[in-house]
Amino acid sequence: MEDQTLFSPAFRSSSSVRMLSLFMPSMTVILTSFWDTMKIILKHMKIDSFWCWLESFGFQKVSSPKPNNLKIHQSASMTPTSVNYHFTRQCNYKCGFCFHTAKTSFVLPLEEAKKGLTLLKGAGMEKINFSGGEPFLQERGHFLGKMVQFCKQELKLPSVSIVSNGSLITERWFKLYGEYLDILAVSCDSFDEDVNKMIGRGQGNKNHVEKLMKIRTWCQEYNVAFKINSVINRFNMDEDMSEEIAKINPMRWKVFQCLIIDGENCGEDALRHAETFVIGKAEFNNFLNRHKDIKCLVPESNEQMRDSYLILDEYMRFLDCRNGRKDPSKSIMDVGVENAIKFSGFDEKMFFKRGGKYVWSKADLKLDW
Ligand SMILES: C[S@@+](CC[C@H](N)C(=O)[O-])C[C@H]1O[C@@H](n2cnc3c(N)ncnc32)[C@H](O)[C@@H]1O
Ligand code: SF4
């Protein structure tokens, strides 16, 4: 047996171990409490990871970004409760800020689109919103009408809605398909026709606001809830729309802060360049303050808007906007809804936070105007 003198290796190692064992618990306590404090600070700053915290001070990660198809959404069991189907990218207007542009002219054949809608219903869809491009452009609104009818009559969806620029809507369309539609949203960014022209929201001599008023009357006559969408940008940010909105009395007035999406309305391969339209948070808040008495106003800042919509493109691919552009998933027609939705970038929490789930079936709405 080795003699344990002060300088013997055995003594040194055993005393180091003893020293360490005395020291370690207090180190652990110190480190744990340091990390707990850091976690509280990060949480307070609404920053989820240490890396994001470093990034907020200007540090940059050196690793290359992961391709979109490697990013899997945390929630494996996400339900496509409310879906926005941008079935066409074609449009008759030229809004300078548009973030869903005519990059293709593709439209799924009607029977294929119906198959896709059936898959979505099977995965839990309750609300479908048809958008574009301009949804009334294809077959003068009949393509849209047939999908609306199919979703209400065959799929029995609680809510079927459309967002449109309104210019191509006719009373005949309401006669044919109005009974199957719950909500119609018409986009209107200004009640001043000159501003609409500057924005590009118009075609020839058509008066956008006059048409908006006509559609509102048809909605009343054909029992369809009426909504207005406005994009707040450099050209309309100082406008006071209170009087007109109060008169029209829409069920909801969605007020968006103009959003930039790389490849759509900014960047080299974009068809629109919206940089001159963009406004800051303070300017957006000024607009909201001016309209604070309007009860139906639903504000959506860039942050609230970007990831809180489940967007399907013309190929029925989910579009992930988390990286500031629209990265497509595979088509639900090829891989099914459950596989495709993992790559949607959808922020379900933000969807609820921005009031995405509301009374959206006309059967439950009191349409008393
Ligand atoms: C892409 S449009 C398609 C439907 C239709 N053509 C229309 O304008 O209503 C859908 C909605 O997005 C809004 N929108 C377009 N570009 C936007 C942008 N850059 N920021 C925020 N909203 C935008 C439109 O005003 C509209 O309400
Ligand atoms: S925002 Fe304007 S340009 Fe874009 S799809 Fe709608 S009407 Fe067309």
Side-chain angles (χ1 to χ4, degrees), residues 315-358:
Y315 300 100
M316 285 209 167
R317 305 177 301 183
F318 287 108
L319 297 180
D320 178 350
C321 301
R322 280 178 299 180
N323 288 333
R325 42 174 205 270
K326 289 181 170 171
D327 292 322
S329 71
K330 290 193 172 136
S331 172
I332 65 164
M333 310 296 283
D334 296 328
V335 298
V337 178
E338 206 181 309
N339 286 323
I341 205 170
K342 291 175 192 161
F343 305 103
S344 64
F346 179 55
D347 184 344
E348 213 167 28
K349 266 194 209 140
M350 188 57 95
F351 167 73
F352 287 113
K353 203 169 148 192
R354 71 159 166 84
K357 178 119 201 203
Y358 57 99

Short mmCIF file of all heavy atoms in Angstrom, two decimals, residues 315-358:
data_model
loop_
_atom_site.label_atom_id
_atom_site.label_comp_id
_atom_site.label_asym_id
_atom_site.label_seq_id
_atom_site.Cartn_x
_atom_site.Cartn_y
_atom_site.Cartn_z
N TYR A 315 -50.23 25.67 -56.57
CA TYR A 315 -49.96 24.22 -56.69
C TYR A 315 -50.38 23.48 -55.42
O TYR A 315 -50.02 22.33 -55.24
CB TYR A 315 -48.45 24.00 -56.91
CG TYR A 315 -47.92 24.66 -58.17
CD1 TYR A 315 -47.24 25.88 -58.10
CD2 TYR A 315 -48.11 24.07 -59.43
CE1 TYR A 315 -46.75 26.49 -59.24
CE2 TYR A 315 -47.62 24.68 -60.57
CZ TYR A 315 -46.94 25.89 -60.46
OH TYR A 315 -46.47 26.49 -61.61
N MET A 316 -51.07 24.16 -54.56
CA MET A 316 -51.44 23.62 -53.24
C MET A 316 -50.22 23.26 -52.42
O MET A 316 -50.13 22.19 -51.81
CB MET A 316 -52.42 22.46 -53.37
CG MET A 316 -53.82 22.94 -53.73
SD MET A 316 -55.09 21.84 -53.11
CE MET A 316 -56.55 22.84 -53.33
N ARG A 317 -49.24 24.17 -52.40
CA ARG A 317 -48.06 24.04 -51.54
C ARG A 317 -48.20 25.08 -50.44
O ARG A 317 -48.62 26.21 -50.71
CB ARG A 317 -46.78 24.34 -52.33
CG ARG A 317 -46.62 23.47 -53.58
CD ARG A 317 -45.39 23.85 -54.37
NE ARG A 317 -45.37 25.24 -54.80
CZ ARG A 317 -44.42 25.78 -55.56
NH1 ARG A 317 -43.40 25.05 -55.95
NH2 ARG A 317 -44.48 27.05 -55.92
N PHE A 318 -47.87 24.72 -49.22
CA PHE A 318 -47.87 25.71 -48.14
C PHE A 318 -46.68 26.65 -48.34
O PHE A 318 -45.60 26.21 -48.74
CB PHE A 318 -47.78 25.05 -46.76
CG PHE A 318 -49.06 24.36 -46.36
CD1 PHE A 318 -49.14 22.97 -46.33
CD2 PHE A 318 -50.19 25.10 -46.03
CE1 PHE A 318 -50.33 22.34 -45.96
CE2 PHE A 318 -51.37 24.48 -45.66
CZ PHE A 318 -51.43 23.09 -45.63
N LEU A 319 -46.89 27.92 -48.05
CA LEU A 319 -45.80 28.89 -48.21
C LEU A 319 -45.32 29.33 -46.83
O LEU A 319 -46.09 29.82 -46.02
CB LEU A 319 -46.26 30.10 -49.03
CG LEU A 319 -46.68 29.78 -50.47
CD1 LEU A 319 -47.13 31.05 -51.19
CD2 LEU A 319 -45.55 29.12 -51.26
N ASP A 320 -44.03 29.13 -46.60
CA ASP A 320 -43.39 29.46 -45.32
C ASP A 320 -42.74 30.84 -45.44
O ASP A 320 -41.81 31.03 -46.23
CB ASP A 320 -42.34 28.37 -45.03
CG ASP A 320 -41.56 28.62 -43.75
OD1 ASP A 320 -41.69 29.72 -43.18
OD2 ASP A 320 -40.82 27.70 -43.33
N CYS A 321 -43.23 31.80 -44.65
CA CYS A 321 -42.72 33.19 -44.75
C CYS A 321 -41.69 33.52 -43.67
O CYS A 321 -41.30 34.68 -43.53
CB CYS A 321 -43.88 34.18 -44.66
SG CYS A 321 -45.12 33.97 -45.93
N ARG A 322 -41.27 32.53 -42.88
CA ARG A 322 -40.41 32.84 -41.73
C ARG A 322 -39.10 33.50 -42.11
O ARG A 322 -38.53 34.25 -41.35
CB ARG A 322 -40.11 31.56 -40.93
CG ARG A 322 -41.25 31.19 -40.01
CD ARG A 322 -40.97 29.92 -39.28
NE ARG A 322 -40.79 28.81 -40.20
CZ ARG A 322 -40.53 27.58 -39.80
NH1 ARG A 322 -40.40 27.31 -38.53
NH2 ARG A 322 -40.39 26.60 -40.69
N ASN A 323 -38.59 33.20 -43.31
CA ASN A 323 -37.32 33.81 -43.69
C ASN A 323 -37.50 35.07 -44.52
O ASN A 323 -36.57 35.50 -45.23
CB ASN A 323 -36.45 32.79 -44.45
CG ASN A 323 -35.92 31.74 -43.50
OD1 ASN A 323 -35.76 32.00 -42.30
ND2 ASN A 323 -35.66 30.55 -44.01
N GLY A 324 -38.71 35.65 -44.45
CA GLY A 324 -38.96 36.90 -45.16
C GLY A 324 -39.23 36.72 -46.63
O GLY A 324 -39.31 37.67 -47.40
N ARG A 325 -39.34 35.45 -47.08
CA ARG A 325 -39.76 35.17 -48.46
C ARG A 325 -40.76 34.03 -48.40
O ARG A 325 -41.04 33.53 -47.32
CB ARG A 325 -38.54 34.81 -49.33
CG ARG A 325 -37.56 33.89 -48.66
CD ARG A 325 -36.45 33.42 -49.58
NE ARG A 325 -35.97 32.17 -49.06
CZ ARG A 325 -34.98 32.07 -48.18
NH1 ARG A 325 -34.36 33.15 -47.77
NH2 ARG A 325 -34.61 30.89 -47.71
N LYS A 326 -41.30 33.63 -49.55
CA LYS A 326 -42.30 32.57 -49.51
C LYS A 326 -41.67 31.27 -49.97
O LYS A 326 -41.56 31.01 -51.17
CB LYS A 326 -43.50 32.96 -50.38
CG LYS A 326 -44.34 34.07 -49.75
CD LYS A 326 -45.54 34.46 -50.59
CE LYS A 326 -46.45 35.38 -49.80
NZ LYS A 326 -47.53 35.97 -50.62
N ASP A 327 -41.22 30.44 -49.03
CA ASP A 327 -40.60 29.16 -49.37
C ASP A 327 -41.67 28.08 -49.42
O ASP A 327 -42.36 27.84 -48.43
CB ASP A 327 -39.56 28.79 -48.30
CG ASP A 327 -38.36 29.71 -48.32
OD1 ASP A 327 -37.94 30.10 -49.44
OD2 ASP A 327 -37.83 30.05 -47.25
N PRO A 328 -41.79 27.42 -50.58
CA PRO A 328 -42.88 26.44 -50.71
C PRO A 328 -42.55 25.07 -50.12
O PRO A 328 -41.42 24.60 -50.19
CB PRO A 328 -43.06 26.32 -52.23
CG PRO A 328 -41.76 26.71 -52.81
CD PRO A 328 -41.06 27.62 -51.85
N SER A 329 -43.58 24.43 -49.57
CA SER A 329 -43.46 23.02 -49.15
C SER A 329 -43.70 22.16 -50.39
O SER A 329 -43.86 22.70 -51.49
CB SER A 329 -44.54 22.71 -48.11
OG SER A 329 -45.82 22.68 -48.73
N LYS A 330 -43.76 20.86 -50.20
CA LYS A 330 -44.25 20.02 -51.31
C LYS A 330 -45.76 20.19 -51.38
O LYS A 330 -46.39 20.65 -50.42
CB LYS A 330 -43.87 18.57 -51.05
CG LYS A 330 -42.36 18.38 -51.19
CD LYS A 330 -41.98 16.93 -51.27
CE LYS A 330 -40.50 16.85 -51.62
NZ LYS A 330 -39.78 15.87 -50.82
N SER A 331 -46.35 19.79 -52.50
CA SER A 331 -47.80 19.96 -52.65
C SER A 331 -48.55 18.94 -51.79
O SER A 331 -48.15 17.78 -51.70
CB SER A 331 -48.19 19.77 -54.11
OG SER A 331 -49.59 19.74 -54.23
N ILE A 332 -49.66 19.38 -51.23
CA ILE A 332 -50.49 18.43 -50.46
C ILE A 332 -51.03 17.33 -51.37
O ILE A 332 -51.36 16.25 -50.92
CB ILE A 332 -51.67 19.13 -49.72
CG1 ILE A 332 -52.68 19.73 -50.70
CG2 ILE A 332 -51.18 20.19 -48.76
CD1 ILE A 332 -54.01 20.08 -50.04
N MET A 333 -51.06 17.60 -52.68
CA MET A 333 -51.54 16.60 -53.64
C MET A 333 -50.53 15.46 -53.76
O MET A 333 -50.88 14.35 -54.14
CB MET A 333 -51.74 17.22 -55.04
CG MET A 333 -52.54 18.49 -55.05
SD MET A 333 -54.22 18.24 -54.51
CE MET A 333 -54.93 17.50 -55.96
N ASP A 334 -49.26 15.74 -53.47
CA ASP A 334 -48.21 14.72 -53.60
C ASP A 334 -47.88 14.05 -52.28
O ASP A 334 -47.63 12.85 -52.25
CB ASP A 334 -46.92 15.36 -54.14
CG ASP A 334 -47.11 15.90 -55.54
OD1 ASP A 334 -47.92 15.32 -56.29
OD2 ASP A 334 -46.48 16.93 -55.88
N VAL A 335 -47.83 14.82 -51.19
CA VAL A 335 -47.36 14.23 -49.92
C VAL A 335 -48.41 14.23 -48.82
O VAL A 335 -48.15 13.77 -47.71
CB VAL A 335 -46.08 14.96 -49.41
CG1 VAL A 335 -44.95 14.83 -50.40
CG2 VAL A 335 -46.35 16.43 -49.10
N GLY A 336 -49.59 14.75 -49.12
CA GLY A 336 -50.66 14.81 -48.11
C GLY A 336 -50.51 16.05 -47.24
O GLY A 336 -49.46 16.68 -47.20
N VAL A 337 -51.59 16.37 -46.53
CA VAL A 337 -51.62 17.61 -45.73
C VAL A 337 -50.65 17.52 -44.55
O VAL A 337 -49.88 18.45 -44.28
CB VAL A 337 -53.05 17.88 -45.22
CG1 VAL A 337 -53.09 19.13 -44.35
CG2 VAL A 337 -54.02 18.02 -46.39
N GLU A 338 -50.66 16.38 -43.87
CA GLU A 338 -49.87 16.25 -42.64
C GLU A 338 -48.38 16.44 -42.90
O GLU A 338 -47.68 17.09 -42.12
CB GLU A 338 -50.12 14.86 -42.04
CG GLU A 338 -49.90 14.83 -40.54
CD GLU A 338 -50.14 13.45 -39.98
OE1 GLU A 338 -51.19 12.85 -40.27
OE2 GLU A 338 -49.23 12.97 -39.28
N ASN A 339 -47.90 15.91 -44.02
CA ASN A 339 -46.47 16.05 -44.34
C ASN A 339 -46.15 17.47 -44.81
O ASN A 339 -45.13 18.03 -44.44
CB ASN A 339 -46.06 15.06 -45.43
CG ASN A 339 -45.96 13.67 -44.88
OD1 ASN A 339 -45.52 13.48 -43.74
ND2 ASN A 339 -46.39 12.68 -45.65
N ALA A 340 -47.03 18.03 -45.63
CA ALA A 340 -46.75 19.35 -46.19
C ALA A 340 -46.82 20.45 -45.13
O ALA A 340 -46.01 21.37 -45.13
CB ALA A 340 -47.73 19.66 -47.32
N ILE A 341 -47.75 20.31 -44.20
CA ILE A 341 -48.00 21.39 -43.23
C ILE A 341 -46.80 21.58 -42.29
O ILE A 341 -46.62 22.67 -41.74
CB ILE A 341 -49.31 21.12 -42.45
CG1 ILE A 341 -49.89 22.44 -41.93
CG2 ILE A 341 -49.11 20.14 -41.33
CD1 ILE A 341 -51.28 22.31 -41.37
N LYS A 342 -45.97 20.57 -42.16
CA LYS A 342 -44.77 20.69 -41.30
C LYS A 342 -43.84 21.77 -41.83
O LYS A 342 -43.00 22.28 -41.11
CB LYS A 342 -44.02 19.36 -41.25
CG LYS A 342 -44.76 18.27 -40.51
CD LYS A 342 -43.99 16.97 -40.63
CE LYS A 342 -44.82 15.79 -40.16
NZ LYS A 342 -44.29 14.52 -40.65
N PHE A 343 -43.95 22.06 -43.12
CA PHE A 343 -43.05 23.05 -43.73
C PHE A 343 -43.77 24.37 -44.02
O PHE A 343 -43.36 25.14 -44.86
CB PHE A 343 -42.47 22.46 -45.02
CG PHE A 343 -41.78 21.15 -44.79
CD1 PHE A 343 -42.40 19.95 -45.13
CD2 PHE A 343 -40.54 21.10 -44.17
CE1 PHE A 343 -41.78 18.74 -44.88
CE2 PHE A 343 -39.92 19.89 -43.91
CZ PHE A 343 -40.53 18.71 -44.26
N SER A 344 -44.88 24.60 -43.31
CA SER A 344 -45.68 25.81 -43.59
C SER A 344 -45.17 27.03 -42.84
O SER A 344 -45.51 28.15 -43.19
CB SER A 344 -47.14 25.56 -43.19
OG SER A 344 -47.22 25.35 -41.78
N GLY A 345 -44.39 26.82 -41.77
CA GLY A 345 -43.90 27.96 -40.97
C GLY A 345 -45.02 28.64 -40.19
O GLY A 345 -44.84 29.73 -39.67
N PHE A 346 -46.16 27.97 -40.11
CA PHE A 346 -47.35 28.57 -39.50
C PHE A 346 -47.16 28.74 -37.99
O PHE A 346 -46.74 27.82 -37.30
CB PHE A 346 -48.55 27.67 -39.79
CG PHE A 346 -49.85 28.15 -39.20
CD1 PHE A 346 -50.32 29.42 -39.47
CD2 PHE A 346 -50.60 27.31 -38.39
CE1 PHE A 346 -51.52 29.86 -38.93
CE2 PHE A 346 -51.81 27.72 -37.85
CZ PHE A 346 -52.27 29.00 -38.12
N ASP A 347 -47.49 29.94 -37.50
CA ASP A 347 -47.38 30.24 -36.08
C ASP A 347 -48.80 30.24 -35.49
O ASP A 347 -49.50 31.25 -35.53
CB ASP A 347 -46.71 31.61 -35.91
CG ASP A 347 -46.47 31.98 -34.45
OD1 ASP A 347 -47.07 31.34 -33.57
OD2 ASP A 347 -45.70 32.91 -34.21
N GLU A 348 -49.19 29.07 -35.00
CA GLU A 348 -50.56 28.89 -34.52
C GLU A 348 -50.89 29.86 -33.38
O GLU A 348 -51.99 30.40 -33.30
CB GLU A 348 -50.73 27.45 -34.05
CG GLU A 348 -52.11 26.89 -34.27
CD GLU A 348 -52.14 25.38 -34.08
OE1 GLU A 348 -51.32 24.85 -33.31
OE2 GLU A 348 -53.00 24.73 -34.71
N LYS A 349 -49.88 30.09 -32.50
CA LYS A 349 -50.10 30.98 -31.35
C LYS A 349 -50.44 32.38 -31.82
O LYS A 349 -51.35 33.02 -31.31
CB LYS A 349 -48.83 31.02 -30.49
CG LYS A 349 -48.84 30.03 -29.38
CD LYS A 349 -47.73 30.37 -28.38
CE LYS A 349 -47.26 29.11 -27.69
NZ LYS A 349 -45.82 29.08 -27.51
N MET A 350 -49.67 32.85 -32.82
CA MET A 350 -49.91 34.19 -33.34
C MET A 350 -51.27 34.27 -34.05
O MET A 350 -51.96 35.29 -33.99
CB MET A 350 -48.78 34.59 -34.29
CG MET A 350 -48.84 36.03 -34.75
SD MET A 350 -48.83 37.22 -33.37
CE MET A 350 -47.09 37.61 -33.26
N PHE A 351 -51.66 33.16 -34.70
CA PHE A 351 -52.96 33.09 -35.36
C PHE A 351 -54.08 33.38 -34.34
O PHE A 351 -54.96 34.19 -34.57
CB PHE A 351 -53.14 31.70 -35.99
CG PHE A 351 -54.55 31.38 -36.43
CD1 PHE A 351 -55.11 31.98 -37.55
CD2 PHE A 351 -55.32 30.47 -35.71
CE1 PHE A 351 -56.40 31.68 -37.94
CE2 PHE A 351 -56.61 30.16 -36.10
CZ PHE A 351 -57.16 30.78 -37.22
N PHE A 352 -53.99 32.73 -33.17
CA PHE A 352 -55.00 32.96 -32.13
C PHE A 352 -54.85 34.36 -31.54
O PHE A 352 -55.84 35.04 -31.28
CB PHE A 352 -54.91 31.90 -31.04
CG PHE A 352 -55.44 30.56 -31.50
CD1 PHE A 352 -54.60 29.47 -31.65
CD2 PHE A 352 -56.79 30.40 -31.79
CE1 PHE A 352 -55.09 28.24 -32.09
CE2 PHE A 352 -57.29 29.17 -32.23
CZ PHE A 352 -56.44 28.10 -32.38
N LYS A 353 -53.59 34.78 -31.35
CA LYS A 353 -53.32 36.08 -30.73
C LYS A 353 -53.87 37.24 -31.58
O LYS A 353 -54.39 38.21 -31.05
CB LYS A 353 -51.80 36.24 -30.55
CG LYS A 353 -51.43 37.22 -29.47
CD LYS A 353 -49.95 37.12 -29.16
CE LYS A 353 -49.41 38.47 -28.77
NZ LYS A 353 -47.95 38.48 -28.73
N ARG A 354 -53.76 37.10 -32.92
CA ARG A 354 -54.27 38.19 -33.76
C ARG A 354 -55.79 38.10 -33.99
O ARG A 354 -56.36 38.81 -34.77
CB ARG A 354 -53.53 38.24 -35.09
CG ARG A 354 -53.85 37.10 -36.05
CD ARG A 354 -53.52 37.43 -37.49
NE ARG A 354 -53.52 36.27 -38.36
CZ ARG A 354 -54.60 35.75 -38.93
NH1 ARG A 354 -55.80 36.30 -38.72
NH2 ARG A 354 -54.51 34.70 -39.71
N GLY A 355 -56.43 37.14 -33.30
CA GLY A 355 -57.89 37.00 -33.41
C GLY A 355 -58.30 36.28 -34.68
O GLY A 355 -59.36 36.52 -35.23
N GLY A 356 -57.42 35.36 -35.14
CA GLY A 356 -57.69 34.62 -36.38
C GLY A 356 -58.93 33.75 -36.30
O GLY A 356 -59.58 33.48 -37.30
N LYS A 357 -59.23 33.30 -35.09
CA LYS A 357 -60.44 32.47 -34.92
C LYS A 357 -61.54 33.37 -34.37
O LYS A 357 -61.42 33.91 -33.27
CB LYS A 357 -60.11 31.31 -33.97
CG LYS A 357 -61.27 30.40 -33.67
CD LYS A 357 -61.04 28.98 -34.12
CE LYS A 357 -62.40 28.31 -34.24
NZ LYS A 357 -62.43 26.93 -34.15
N TYR A 358 -62.59 33.57 -35.14
CA TYR A 358 -63.68 34.43 -34.72
C TYR A 358 -64.99 33.82 -35.20
O TYR A 358 -64.98 32.70 -35.73
CB TYR A 358 -63.48 35.85 -35.27
CG TYR A 358 -63.36 35.92 -36.79
CD1 TYR A 358 -64.44 36.25 -37.59
CD2 TYR A 358 -62.15 35.62 -37.43
CE1 TYR A 358 -64.33 36.30 -38.97
CE2 TYR A 358 -62.03 35.67 -38.81
CZ TYR A 358 -63.13 36.01 -39.57
OH TYR A 358 -63.02 36.04 -40.93
#
